[in-house]
Structures are given as C-alpha cells and as structure tokens.
Amino acid sequence: MSIDRRSFADKPTLAKELAEAIADRIRNAIAERGEAAIAVSGGSTPGKFFAALGKMRDIDWTKVAVTLVDERWVDETSDRSNALLVNEKMLQGPAAVARFFPLYSGGDEPNAAQVAKTNALVSTLPKPFAAVILGMGNDGHTASFFPGGDTLDEALKAQGPTLAIHAPGAGEPRITFTLPRLLETDGLYLHIEGDEKAAVLDKALGDGPIEDMPIRAVLRSGAPLAVYWCP
C-alpha cells in the first residue's frame, strides 16, 4: 500500500488544503494536456471543499471538466442528488464556466439503455483524470461499491466506464464509475471526517474480505492514495 495519511485541525482547514491540492492537479493537467477532468464524491462531507475549490480564480475553468465518481439514480432537482450538491457548492463564481458531466441520464431505473447513454457522455472526458476524490461510508463503501451490491465484482474489475448497482445499503439504485476507470488518475484522494470514519479506515486497512468493506479494493490497489482527515 502507498497511503499518505494527513490530519488537519478542523473542517475549514482540511477543505482549504484539499482544494489547493486539487487545484495544483488541475493546473498541472492543463499545462501538460491542455485540459483537465476531476471526479468528485457527493454526500454531506465535501461541501466546504467544493466551495473552496470553486472560488479559485487562478484556474482556467473553461478547460476543466467535472464529473461524479457515482450518483444516486435521481433527478438533479432532488435533494438526494450529488449533481445538485456540486452545482450549488462548486460550480459557482469562477467555476461556473466548467463543463459538468452528470451520471444520471433520466428515467426511474438505470437500465442498459440509460447506462449506455451515460457511458457515451463520460467516454468523452479527458484522460486520465487530474484528480479523483473519494469518500467513504461507515459500512466501508466508497463510490457506489457497496457491500452486497449486485454488480460489486464487476464494478471493482470492469473497465466500465460506469455501471448500475443496487445494494441493500444504497437506498436508491446507483450508477458508479468502475474502479479501474477511477484509478486512471494523476492523483487519488480519500476525504473523510470524524473519529468514526478514522476507525472504519483503520479496520479496512486490516485483514478481511474486500466484499465486506469495498474500500479495501482501493486500499489494496497499489495506487498512491492521499487520505485527508479531520475530527
């Protein structure tokens, strides 16, 4: 494992430091390849980070593409939508001109036709990602790699780029980038907060099946991973 665990005093400090790290990745990718793509996570944790990143004026946001590592299969107007969070918190001010690539493509279920539509869209994203920022649940899931997921094995191994997944702990049906596609990145990050999440990470770093705590697939991938944590 190549894991760099970084601890910060509080949430605002973590948000600022993570935003600066991702901004560096974006600027480097633009300098090297002329454009940059990042994949971010939803949930309640990344709001402050999104706001800090979106305010950065020294990024040429016209050359930036933003997508999600995964999404609940809900319309962007839903308060459960990760896209809504990104649009409200990050894609404001200087970042409003960035290109956003949603994963939800309509309908009640992520059937084969809808997933194909999403895949056609995200296949046009610049490669590799400049940065991928993951989160982690208390059950050890990351992206939509949930314990008990009906397509978990495929999600961890297939080239993707995305696929649908249903799992007992997921709530709605989900769509997620596959792990191999997420690992195609200049920088891989895990953003977690609170003592409970630190304990979950410690457990995941120990022995045990990947199926029980799918975050282990990331931790055991051999890819360099920067963990940003605060109480």
Side-chain angles (χ1 to χ4, degrees):
M1 298 179 192
S2 178
I3 300 173
D4 178 14
R5 295 183 71 166
R6 306 181 186 186
S7 299
F8 301 91
D10 51 42
K11 295 177 181 179
T13 303
L14 185 157
K16 176 178 178 293
E17 294 295 328
L18 182 57
E20 289 179 353
I22 302 308
D24 283 343
R25 294 287 189 183
I26 292 171
R27 287 190 290 264
N28 289 341
I30 292 173
E32 293 173 5
R33 302 188 288 269
E35 57 186 350
I38 61 172
V40 300
S41 297
S44 59
T45 301
K48 288 183 173 61
F49 155 63
F50 286 168
L53 182 61
K55 291 175 183 174
M56 296 211 169
R57 298 185 178 276
D58 58 347
I59 294 172
D60 186 350
W61 287 101
T62 64
K63 297 178 179 177
V64 179
V66 179
T67 192
L68 295 154
V69 302
D70 71 318
E71 178 63 286
R72 301 176 178 95
W73 201 257
V74 295
D75 188 84
E76 288 184 28
T77 60
S78 169
D79 60 6
R80 296 278 291 166
S81 168
N82 291 334
L84 179 67
L85 179 70
V86 171
N87 280 302
E88 288 187 343
K89 297 294 186 181
M90 184 194 300
L91 301 180
Q92 303 290 326
V97 295
R99 293 168 292 153
F100 181 62
F101 287 66
L103 301 187
Y104 173 76
S105 54
D108 296 328
E109 283 282 334
N111 59 35
Q114 296 303 117
V115 174
K117 186 185 295 187
T118 297
N119 281 337
L121 175 66
V122 301
S123 67
T124 65
L125 282 163
K127 284 187 177 183
F129 286 118
V132 169
I133 305 94
L134 299 170
M136 182 184 69
N138 291 333
D139 60 355
H141 86 266
T142 191
S144 282
F145 310 148
F146 280 87
D150 60 350
T151 57
L152 177 60
D153 187 64
E154 185 180 2
L156 297 178
K157 297 176 181 177
Q159 292 303 309
T162 73
L163 53 74
I165 188 165
H166 301 71
E172 302 90 345
R174 304 254 185 153
I175 187 167
T176 186
F177 272 97
T178 64
L179 180 57
R181 180 65 181 92
L182 292 175
L183 294 180
E184 293 181 48
T185 181
D186 297 335
L188 185 64
Y189 298 82
L190 177 62
H191 176 188
I192 55 175
E193 298 177 355
D195 291 337
E196 188 171 2
K197 292 288 180 72
V200 172
L201 179 60
D202 287 338
K203 181 179 179 182
L205 287 166
D207 295 333
I210 287 173
E211 293 76 14
D212 290 352
M213 301 184 78
I215 185 67
R216 287 176 172 149
V218 177
L219 300 174
R220 297 173 186 177
S221 68
L225 174 69
V227 179
Y228 279 59
W229 173 86
C230 71

